[in-house]
Amino acid sequence: MKNWIEILIRSIGLFFITFAAVRIMGKRQIAKITPFQFVYYTVIAILSALISVNLIKNLAFGLISLGVWVLFPIIFDYLSLKSKYFHDLINGKETILVKQGKVMEENLSQVRITGEELLRELRAKNVFNLADVEFAIMEATGEMNVLLKSDKKPVTPHDLGKQVAPQSEPQTVILDGNILDEALSNIGLNQGWLKTQLNALGVPLNNVFIGQVDASGDLYIDLFDDSIQVSQPKVKELLYANLEKIQADLITFSLETQNQKAKSMYTNDANKLQEVIHKLKPYLLH
Amino acid sequence: MTVSSKVKQTLANLKGTQSTLRLYAIQTIDENTKATYEEALVITNEIIKDLEERLKTLEFEEPQYKGY
């Protein structure tokens, strides 16, 4: 057999073997693997390269070695799924670097990190002040995660005592002028609804680049022709304004009427409506 | 503008608003949001009833403005 044919066959075979092996070994982001995982991925890569260019003459020996490096990680992964002890043994444990705002120097030296490296990692997390750090931990992958002191954390609606509407993901129903039926049926709508909406906006389907329907059933579209201005849905804002107007009207009526019974009815209704407005606000204005 | 026609205007406005609310109550997928809209529907219904009752009284008191 000519040399080049042998290399061709070996390469093609190994291409698929390695491909399958790496797929079986699981989904991992290459930047977030532990040092040992990096080692066995590298060994697999080098072994398959050596075998495929015929540097390892004996195919069987090469494949045995490759098999070991593929199988052992899979076995180890399985064991670490089953037992916490194995998991720590194989993947290592996370190390606490900062606790209650104090740097743990002995832990730093244990994972061989200097103070400068600690500060650099913190800066990478947008923390320039060590005083802001409540807790920092180094994961087994070498990545550092930081918890800020509670007064330095970004404000959330919860901190402000504000209620916000739950946001579920919008469905993309039009892409490149084509209707995506699966996404439409996911939110319980059909093509007829979509066509009515587009008609109301006065836009032909083939002019729509992207169309999304949000959780409350409003359609947002982006057109190919950017010179056309599309009115984006403002129904919710209008609805909110209307409710407030009606509430104001009720208060006016209650002030104007002389009839005591009517007065109390209007006031009562105005209060009820005020409550509704308050509850609807996070859903209508966001 | 008479009192009864003002009330009528508000009533019409409220009914329009309620129909939009109903649309959202049907369209929305999230259960919590749906419940909030439905609660709003119930309360607007009560207010509509109150206003309609009041209109009847007003028209009885001022029959000369009936229909305006």
Side-chain angles (χ1 to χ4, degrees), chain A residues 165-166 168 186-189 193 197 214-218 233 235-236 239 242-243 245-246 249-250 252-253 256-257 259 262 265-266 268-270 272-273 275-276 279-280 283-284, chain B residues 3 6-11 13-18 20-21 23-24 27-30 32-34 36-37 39-41 43-44 46-51 53-55 57-58 61:
Chain A
S168 49
N186 273 349
I187 40 174
L189 298 168
W193 175 87
Q197 293 285 313
D214 67 9
S216 56
D218 281 332
V235 187
K236 284 182 187 153
L239 182 62
N242 257 333
L243 282 170
K245 183 179 182 302
I246 293 162
D249 280 352
L250 287 172
T252 318
F253 294 151
E256 278 175 358
T257 183
N259 183 332
M265 180 206 84
Y266 282 136
N268 192 14
D269 282 353
K272 276 198 279 185
L273 200 57
E275 219 168 275
V276 169
K279 273 189 192 153
L280 284 177
Y283 299 102
L284 296 180
Chain B
V3 175
K6 271 197 222 161
V7 175
K8 259 183 207 162
Q9 213 175 45
T10 306
L11 181 61
N13 202 351
L14 184 54
K15 279 182 177 168
T17 311
Q18 197 201 25
T20 317
L21 276 176
L23 208 66
Y24 276 120
Q27 275 182 354
T28 308
I29 304 160
D30 180 71
N32 276 328
T33 319
K34 222 185 177 74
T36 315
Y37 282 127
E39 199 190 327
L41 274 181
I43 291 176
T44 43
E46 285 169 16
I47 298 173
I48 285 176
K49 263 189 200 140
D50 278 350
L51 286 184
E53 281 302 309
R54 181 66 191 151
L55 259 184
T57 328
L58 283 175
E61 280 171 0

XYZ file of all heavy atoms in Angstrom, chain A residues 165-166 168 186-189 193 197 214-218 233 235-236 239 242-243 245-246 249-250 252-253 256-257 259 262 265-266 268-270 272-273 275-276 279-280 283-284, chain B residues 3 6-11 13-18 20-21 23-24 27-30 32-34 36-37 39-41 43-44 46-51 53-55 57-58 61:
688
model
N -43.115 42.916 36.331
C -43.814 41.853 35.615
C -42.835 40.753 35.250
O -41.696 41.040 34.893
C -44.452 42.414 34.359
N -43.261 39.509 35.362
C -42.376 38.436 34.919
C -42.159 38.532 33.414
O -43.102 38.759 32.669
C -43.151 37.165 35.275
C -44.565 37.592 35.394
C -44.552 39.018 35.837
N -41.153 36.649 30.195
C -40.768 35.390 29.569
C -40.221 35.712 28.184
O -40.390 36.818 27.688
C -41.949 34.430 29.496
O -43.058 35.082 28.969
N -46.446 27.821 19.507
C -45.976 27.793 20.898
C -46.722 28.786 21.765
O -46.901 28.561 22.962
C -44.484 28.146 20.955
C -43.626 26.937 20.764
O -44.131 25.814 20.791
N -42.340 27.140 20.561
N -47.100 29.945 21.194
C -47.803 30.933 21.989
C -49.285 30.950 21.659
O -50.004 31.881 22.002
C -47.206 32.346 21.796
C -46.853 32.553 20.336
C -46.015 32.577 22.673
C -46.406 33.950 20.036
N -49.734 29.860 21.012
C -51.168 29.694 20.796
C -51.749 30.671 19.784
O -52.894 31.078 19.912
N -50.963 31.048 18.788
C -51.472 31.935 17.746
C -51.334 31.229 16.405
O -50.674 30.194 16.305
C -50.674 33.243 17.727
C -50.743 34.074 19.007
C -49.705 35.168 18.982
C -52.118 34.665 19.182
N -53.891 35.268 12.593
C -53.674 36.362 13.553
C -52.539 37.256 13.071
O -52.649 38.478 13.072
C -53.335 35.773 14.931
C -52.969 36.812 15.939
C -53.812 37.507 16.737
C -51.654 37.273 16.258
N -53.114 38.380 17.531
C -51.790 38.259 17.253
C -50.377 36.961 15.804
C -50.696 38.925 17.797
C -49.286 37.616 16.334
C -49.457 38.591 17.330
N -52.515 41.235 12.039
C -51.653 42.221 12.687
C -50.839 42.999 11.651
O -50.722 44.215 11.724
C -50.678 41.526 13.660
C -51.349 40.899 14.855
C -51.770 41.940 15.865
O -51.013 42.823 16.215
N -52.995 41.844 16.324
N -44.152 39.192 22.098
C -43.757 39.067 23.503
C -44.830 38.303 24.280
O -45.836 37.871 23.717
C -43.447 40.434 24.111
C -44.672 41.309 24.221
O -45.780 40.809 23.992
O -44.507 42.495 24.543
N -44.558 38.146 25.586
C -45.404 37.268 26.400
C -46.843 37.762 26.461
O -47.756 36.976 26.670
C -44.828 37.148 27.795
N -47.057 39.067 26.278
C -48.431 39.554 26.369
C -49.105 39.612 25.000
O -50.207 40.126 24.874
C -48.448 40.936 27.024
O -47.623 41.804 26.310
N -48.434 39.072 23.978
C -49.078 38.949 22.681
C -48.945 40.166 21.788
O -49.687 40.293 20.824
N -48.017 41.077 22.086
C -47.794 42.220 21.216
C -46.719 41.886 20.185
O -45.739 41.215 20.498
C -47.338 43.441 22.032
C -48.505 44.112 22.721
O -49.620 44.005 22.189
O -48.297 44.711 23.783
N -46.074 48.931 19.095
C -47.256 48.906 19.956
C -47.114 49.796 21.185
O -46.146 49.701 21.925
C -47.382 47.430 20.338
C -46.160 46.778 19.846
C -45.576 47.608 18.791
N -50.056 50.143 23.012
C -51.389 49.892 23.547
C -51.384 49.889 25.068
O -52.280 50.432 25.710
C -51.908 48.532 23.026
C -53.336 48.323 23.432
C -51.769 48.468 21.535
N -50.335 49.315 25.642
C -50.307 49.204 27.104
C -50.207 50.573 27.761
O -50.901 50.835 28.748
C -49.129 48.350 27.525
C -49.366 46.890 27.284
C -48.180 46.119 27.761
C -48.285 44.683 27.395
N -46.954 44.103 27.284
N -53.487 52.178 27.502
C -54.417 51.557 28.444
C -54.220 52.128 29.833
O -55.181 52.488 30.525
C -54.172 50.046 28.447
C -55.065 49.183 29.322
C -56.488 49.304 28.885
C -54.617 47.738 29.242
N -55.534 55.648 29.995
C -56.997 55.638 30.027
C -57.525 55.332 31.412
O -58.457 55.982 31.892
C -57.513 54.588 29.049
C -58.019 55.226 27.784
O -58.447 56.375 27.820
N -57.967 54.508 26.687
N -56.907 54.319 32.046
C -57.359 53.948 33.391
C -57.196 55.127 34.345
O -58.083 55.411 35.157
C -56.549 52.753 33.898
C -56.951 51.390 33.342
C -55.942 50.330 33.722
C -58.327 50.999 33.856
N -57.203 58.262 33.559
C -58.186 59.305 33.217
C -59.531 58.972 33.835
O -60.198 59.840 34.427
C -58.308 59.418 31.702
C -59.252 60.509 31.267
C -59.342 60.631 29.772
C -60.274 61.772 29.382
N -61.625 61.619 29.925
N -59.927 57.687 33.717
C -61.218 57.282 34.264
C -61.233 57.479 35.778
O -62.223 57.964 36.350
C -61.504 55.805 33.908
C -61.689 55.680 32.405
C -62.721 55.299 34.634
C -61.560 54.288 31.881
N -61.741 61.044 36.447
C -63.148 61.395 36.195
C -64.027 61.037 37.389
O -64.877 61.828 37.817
C -63.660 60.640 34.959
C -63.219 61.314 33.673
O -62.667 62.426 33.776
O -63.414 60.733 32.592
N -63.814 59.829 37.912
C -64.634 59.370 39.042
C -64.476 60.306 40.227
O -65.466 60.643 40.902
C -64.228 57.936 39.438
C -64.674 56.838 38.469
C -64.068 55.505 38.853
C -66.194 56.744 38.461
N -63.664 63.472 40.077
C -64.376 64.714 39.733
C -65.868 64.573 40.009
O -66.490 65.452 40.623
C -64.173 65.047 38.242
O -62.821 64.807 37.908
C -64.545 66.477 37.945
N -66.450 63.453 39.564
C -67.889 63.243 39.776
C -68.218 63.261 41.264
O -69.216 63.849 41.686
C -68.335 61.898 39.183
C -68.228 61.835 37.694
C -68.006 60.620 37.054
C -68.337 62.981 36.915
C -67.897 60.561 35.677
C -68.241 62.928 35.540
C -68.020 61.718 34.915
N -68.360 66.699 42.439
C -69.403 67.555 41.880
C -70.791 67.238 42.416
O -71.625 68.135 42.525
C -69.396 67.437 40.351
C -68.341 68.317 39.707
C -68.251 68.123 38.208
O -68.990 67.261 37.666
O -67.436 68.817 37.588
N -71.030 65.971 42.726
C -72.398 65.599 43.081
C -72.760 66.028 44.501
O -71.902 66.085 45.386
C -72.612 64.082 42.899
O -73.971 63.796 43.185
C -71.746 63.280 43.829
N -75.497 64.541 45.952
C -76.128 63.340 46.492
C -75.092 62.525 47.285
O -74.080 62.082 46.741
C -76.665 62.543 45.297
C -77.397 61.304 45.736
O -77.116 60.737 46.779
N -78.346 60.886 44.909
N -74.438 58.889 46.003
C -73.650 58.874 44.767
C -72.202 59.240 45.058
O -71.262 58.662 44.497
C -74.235 59.842 43.750
N -70.415 56.340 46.421
C -70.226 55.333 45.377
C -69.036 55.708 44.480
O -68.169 54.887 44.214
C -71.490 55.212 44.545
C -71.401 54.187 43.444
S -72.502 54.580 42.093
C -71.531 55.728 41.167
N -69.016 56.979 44.060
C -67.929 57.425 43.190
C -66.568 57.287 43.893
O -65.600 56.809 43.315
C -68.131 58.886 42.789
C -69.159 59.100 41.697
C -70.101 60.124 41.799
C -69.160 58.310 40.559
C -71.040 60.330 40.810
C -70.095 58.520 39.570
C -71.027 59.525 39.689
O -71.936 59.741 38.706
N -65.740 55.346 46.354
C -65.436 53.925 46.502
C -64.871 53.352 45.199
O -63.828 52.678 45.190
C -66.740 53.214 46.900
C -66.475 51.814 47.362
O -65.330 51.474 47.621
N -67.519 51.017 47.460
N -65.558 53.673 44.084
C -65.120 53.172 42.782
C -63.734 53.714 42.421
O -62.886 52.980 41.898
C -66.123 53.568 41.694
C -67.341 52.658 41.722
O -67.295 51.675 42.493
O -68.302 52.924 40.998
N -63.537 55.003 42.726
C -62.237 55.606 42.410
C -61.131 54.889 43.173
O -60.049 54.613 42.625
C -62.243 57.085 42.753
N -61.181 51.767 44.285
C -60.997 50.417 43.728
C -60.154 50.475 42.461
O -59.243 49.681 42.256
C -62.374 49.796 43.411
C -63.021 49.148 44.616
C -64.120 48.197 44.203
C -65.408 48.918 43.904
N -66.538 48.037 43.613
N -60.460 51.474 41.628
C -59.737 51.608 40.366
C -58.271 51.957 40.628
O -57.366 51.466 39.953
C -60.403 52.686 39.496
C -60.063 52.606 38.005
C -60.434 51.254 37.450
C -60.766 53.698 37.235
N -56.524 51.002 43.063
C -55.860 49.754 43.453
C -55.504 48.922 42.213
O -54.410 48.390 42.098
C -56.793 48.958 44.359
C -56.095 48.258 45.489
C -57.110 47.753 46.485
O -57.523 48.540 47.366
O -57.502 46.595 46.336
N -56.474 48.849 41.285
C -56.244 48.098 40.046
C -55.064 48.707 39.283
O -54.171 48.002 38.815
C -57.510 48.119 39.164
C -57.208 47.593 37.779
C -58.596 47.291 39.798
N -51.841 47.773 40.760
C -51.447 46.379 40.494
C -51.008 46.187 39.054
O -50.120 45.386 38.764
C -52.622 45.441 40.796
C -52.662 45.022 42.246
C -53.695 43.947 42.460
C -53.932 43.742 43.937
N -55.267 43.231 44.196
N -51.663 46.907 38.137
C -51.360 46.711 36.717
C -50.096 47.441 36.289
O -49.504 47.111 35.271
C -52.530 47.188 35.859
C -53.741 46.278 35.797
C -54.835 46.924 34.973
C -53.382 44.934 35.171
N -47.096 45.707 34.912
C -47.328 44.969 33.670
C -47.476 45.910 32.482
O -47.132 45.570 31.354
C -48.584 44.102 33.792
C -48.484 43.076 34.886
C -49.108 43.280 36.103
C -47.731 41.926 34.701
C -49.001 42.349 37.114
C -47.610 40.990 35.706
C -48.251 41.205 36.916
O -48.131 40.293 37.906
N -48.049 47.090 32.732
C -48.346 47.981 31.612
C -47.184 48.909 31.292
O -46.950 49.236 30.133
C -49.597 48.808 31.925
C -50.873 47.978 32.077
C -52.059 48.865 32.385
C -51.145 47.173 30.830
N -74.293 66.666 33.325
C -73.636 65.648 34.151
C -73.780 64.275 33.523
O -72.812 63.520 33.418
C -74.265 65.653 35.568
C -73.685 64.539 36.389
C -74.055 66.989 36.231
N -71.442 63.602 30.707
C -70.068 63.377 31.183
C -69.901 61.950 31.681
O -68.919 61.269 31.373
C -69.745 64.351 32.315
C -69.167 65.670 31.854
C -68.509 66.345 33.044
C -68.796 67.826 33.081
N -68.576 68.418 34.391
N -70.894 61.541 32.481
C -70.828 60.176 33.020
C -70.846 59.174 31.878
O -70.117 58.184 31.894
C -71.987 59.917 34.005
C -71.981 58.471 34.469
C -71.884 60.848 35.185
N -71.664 59.474 30.856
C -71.739 58.563 29.713
C -70.390 58.444 29.019
O -69.975 57.360 28.630
C -72.781 59.081 28.718
C -74.092 58.342 28.819
C -75.041 58.847 27.780
C -76.461 58.640 28.265
N -77.408 59.481 27.525
N -69.722 59.588 28.891
C -68.413 59.585 28.229
C -67.432 58.697 29.005
O -66.729 57.868 28.425
C -67.884 61.006 28.184
C -67.067 61.286 26.967
C -66.677 62.752 26.916
O -66.264 63.310 27.934
N -66.803 63.361 25.769
N -67.409 58.919 30.313
C -66.510 58.115 31.142
C -66.856 56.641 31.034
O -65.972 55.785 30.946
C -66.604 58.566 32.603
O -66.362 59.956 32.659
C -65.602 57.836 33.456
N -68.164 56.358 31.022
C -68.601 54.969 30.923
C -68.105 54.345 29.619
O -67.577 53.224 29.615
C -70.128 54.916 31.007
C -70.768 53.537 30.943
C -70.299 52.683 32.109
C -72.282 53.656 30.968
N -65.584 55.289 27.825
C -64.135 55.171 27.935
C -63.754 53.921 28.725
O -62.881 53.145 28.338
C -63.621 56.431 28.640
C -62.166 56.673 28.348
O -61.506 55.825 27.763
N -61.657 57.812 28.766
N -64.467 53.728 29.830
C -64.183 52.584 30.708
C -64.461 51.276 29.978
O -63.692 50.318 30.090
C -65.046 52.696 31.974
C -64.837 51.652 33.053
C -63.375 51.588 33.457
C -65.685 51.957 34.259
N -65.541 51.269 29.202
C -65.865 50.035 28.478
C -64.785 49.714 27.448
O -64.407 48.557 27.265
C -67.232 50.156 27.805
C -68.375 49.891 28.758
C -69.711 49.982 28.059
C -70.849 49.652 29.005
N -72.153 50.016 28.426
N -64.301 50.756 26.768
C -63.227 50.554 25.792
C -61.981 50.006 26.460
O -61.347 49.069 25.973
N -61.658 50.607 27.604
C -60.478 50.154 28.347
C -60.631 48.706 28.782
O -59.706 47.909 28.695
C -60.281 51.048 29.580
O -60.348 52.394 29.164
C -58.955 50.778 30.235
N -61.870 48.395 29.214
C -62.100 47.027 29.672
C -61.899 46.024 28.546
O -61.358 44.939 28.757
C -63.510 46.917 30.234
C -63.691 45.679 31.091
C -65.135 45.306 31.225
O -65.961 45.625 30.382
N -65.433 44.615 32.314
N -59.860 46.275 26.061
C -58.418 46.080 25.860
C -57.855 45.166 26.942
O -57.045 44.284 26.671
C -57.681 47.424 25.889
O -58.423 48.368 25.140
C -56.294 47.300 25.320
N -58.318 45.391 28.170
C -57.879 44.530 29.279
C -58.243 43.076 28.999
O -57.438 42.169 29.223
C -58.555 44.969 30.579
C -57.919 46.105 31.357
C -58.778 46.446 32.557
C -56.529 45.702 31.837
N -58.621 41.678 26.148
C -57.742 41.173 25.093
C -56.435 40.668 25.696
O -55.968 39.578 25.381
C -57.464 42.311 24.111
C -57.173 41.921 22.670
C -58.417 41.305 22.062
C -56.753 43.146 21.889
N -55.877 41.476 26.585
C -54.613 41.077 27.210
C -54.802 39.868 28.121
O -53.929 39.002 28.200
C -54.008 42.245 27.989
C -53.211 43.164 27.116
C -53.545 44.500 26.982
C -52.118 42.690 26.404
C -52.827 45.345 26.166
C -51.392 43.520 25.586
C -51.742 44.847 25.466
O -51.027 45.658 24.656
N -54.688 37.043 25.711
C -53.427 36.841 24.984
C -52.287 36.387 25.875
O -51.416 35.650 25.443
C -53.008 38.152 24.332
C -53.639 38.405 22.991
C -53.139 39.700 22.395
O -52.408 40.446 23.039
N -53.515 39.963 21.167
N -52.275 36.875 27.129
C -51.110 36.646 27.979
C -50.968 35.176 28.329
O -51.964 34.497 28.599
C -51.227 37.479 29.261
O -51.475 38.814 28.876
C -49.971 37.406 30.084
N -49.735 34.702 28.304
C -49.479 33.295 28.602
C -49.207 33.095 30.083
O -49.695 32.156 30.686
C -48.282 32.786 27.766
C -48.557 33.025 26.279
C -48.032 31.317 28.024
C -47.327 33.022 25.443
N -48.439 34.018 30.674
C -48.040 33.869 32.067
C -49.256 33.883 32.996
O -50.109 34.762 32.911
C -47.082 35.013 32.433
C -46.623 34.916 33.867
O -45.849 34.001 34.143
O -47.070 35.732 34.683
N -49.671 34.364 36.297
C -49.803 35.462 37.266
C -50.347 36.710 36.597
O -51.241 37.375 37.126
C -48.440 35.780 37.884
C -48.142 34.876 39.041
O -49.073 34.459 39.733
N -46.889 34.562 39.240
N -49.760 37.025 35.431
C -50.179 38.221 34.706
C -51.643 38.099 34.314
O -52.422 39.034 34.456
C -49.311 38.393 33.456
O -47.961 38.077 33.780
C -49.377 39.795 32.930
N -51.997 36.911 33.835
C -53.382 36.641 33.436
C -54.317 36.908 34.604
O -55.340 37.579 34.466
C -53.478 35.174 33.014
C -54.299 34.918 31.788
C -54.407 33.409 31.582
C -55.277 33.091 30.393
N -54.652 33.345 29.116
N -53.872 38.812 37.177
C -53.966 40.251 37.471
C -54.938 40.932 36.514
O -55.776 41.730 36.935
C -52.579 40.895 37.346
O -51.632 40.074 38.001
C -52.576 42.272 37.965
N -54.822 40.597 35.226
C -55.739 41.198 34.256
C -57.179 40.807 34.554
O -58.094 41.625 34.455
C -55.367 40.755 32.832
C -54.190 41.486 32.244
C -53.110 40.800 31.725
C -54.158 42.874 32.197
C -52.025 41.464 31.180
C -53.089 43.559 31.662
C -52.025 42.845 31.153
O -50.958 43.507 30.613
N -58.487 39.976 37.415
C -58.950 40.700 38.603
C -59.363 42.123 38.213
O -60.408 42.625 38.646
C -57.805 40.735 39.612
C -58.245 41.032 41.026
C -57.056 41.284 41.914
O -56.005 40.656 41.675
O -57.187 42.124 42.815
N -58.549 42.738 37.351
C -58.867 44.091 36.886
C -60.195 44.095 36.143
O -60.999 45.021 36.283
C -57.749 44.605 35.990
N -60.436 43.008 35.363
C -61.692 42.898 34.624
C -62.883 42.901 35.571
O -63.879 43.596 35.347
C -61.702 41.605 33.805
C -61.069 41.653 32.433
C -61.182 40.301 31.766
C -61.743 42.715 31.591
N -63.128 44.097 38.607
C -63.347 45.380 39.270
C -63.904 46.425 38.298
O -64.839 47.158 38.635
C -62.042 45.857 39.943
C -61.763 44.926 41.121
C -62.164 47.294 40.408
C -60.485 45.192 41.821
N -63.372 46.440 37.059
C -63.928 47.400 36.094
C -65.393 47.082 35.831
O -66.205 47.991 35.653
C -63.155 47.380 34.757
O -62.887 46.036 34.392
C -61.846 48.137 34.863
N -67.526 45.917 38.000
C -68.300 46.483 39.111
C -68.508 47.976 38.901
O -69.618 48.500 39.099
C -67.554 46.262 40.437
C -67.616 44.832 40.937
C -66.660 44.604 42.096
O -66.209 45.611 42.685
O -66.372 43.436 42.391
N -67.437 48.657 38.481
C -67.533 50.109 38.300
C -68.504 50.434 37.159
O -69.314 51.362 37.252
C -66.135 50.709 38.040
C -65.239 50.445 39.252
C -66.230 52.201 37.776
C -63.806 50.828 39.059
N -68.438 49.620 36.098
C -69.364 49.853 34.973
C -70.810 49.743 35.447
O -71.656 50.585 35.128
C -69.070 48.833 33.838
C -67.797 49.234 33.103
C -70.236 48.780 32.854
C -67.372 48.258 32.041
N -71.062 48.723 36.272
C -72.428 48.524 36.785
C -72.864 49.729 37.605
O -73.980 50.242 37.441
C -72.479 47.254 37.638
C -72.988 46.072 36.844
C -73.239 44.872 37.746
C -73.249 43.616 36.903
N -72.566 42.508 37.569
N -71.967 50.188 38.497
C -72.265 51.352 39.339
C -72.632 52.555 38.483
O -73.621 53.255 38.737
C -71.056 51.703 40.210
C -71.004 50.814 41.447
O -71.992 50.090 41.679
O -69.971 50.857 42.149
N -71.814 52.794 37.447
C -72.028 53.964 36.602
C -73.343 53.853 35.847
O -74.070 54.841 35.687
C -70.854 54.129 35.616
C -69.542 54.636 36.201
C -68.519 54.845 35.101
C -69.750 55.949 36.947
N -76.020 52.246 36.811
C -77.080 52.514 37.791
C -77.250 54.014 37.984
O -78.372 54.552 37.990
C -76.729 51.866 39.142
C -77.009 50.377 39.213
C -78.476 50.084 38.933
O -79.339 50.722 39.572
O -78.747 49.241 38.041
N -76.109 54.695 38.140
C -76.110 56.136 38.386
C -76.734 56.884 37.205
O -77.502 57.829 37.380
C -74.665 56.593 38.632
C -74.491 58.055 38.935
C -75.114 58.431 40.252
N -75.154 59.884 40.399
C -76.071 60.543 41.097
N -77.034 59.890 41.696
N -76.031 61.853 41.197
N -76.416 56.385 35.990
C -76.961 57.024 34.786
C -78.481 56.949 34.775
O -79.161 57.927 34.438
C -76.406 56.318 33.544
C -75.261 57.024 32.820
C -74.904 56.251 31.566
C -75.638 58.445 32.460
N -80.470 56.801 37.323
C -80.995 57.776 38.281
C -80.935 59.177 37.689
O -81.896 59.951 37.792
C -80.157 57.755 39.572
O -79.684 56.438 39.783
C -80.971 58.232 40.754
N -79.806 59.496 37.067
C -79.634 60.840 36.503
C -80.690 61.120 35.442
O -81.284 62.198 35.398
C -78.235 60.977 35.892
C -77.083 61.167 36.864
C -75.768 61.173 36.112
C -77.249 62.454 37.646
N -83.929 61.777 37.013
C -83.998 63.096 37.643
C -84.068 64.214 36.609
O -84.717 65.236 36.824
C -82.764 63.320 38.536
C -82.874 62.641 39.893
C -81.572 62.691 40.649
O -80.591 63.257 40.120
O -81.541 62.151 41.764
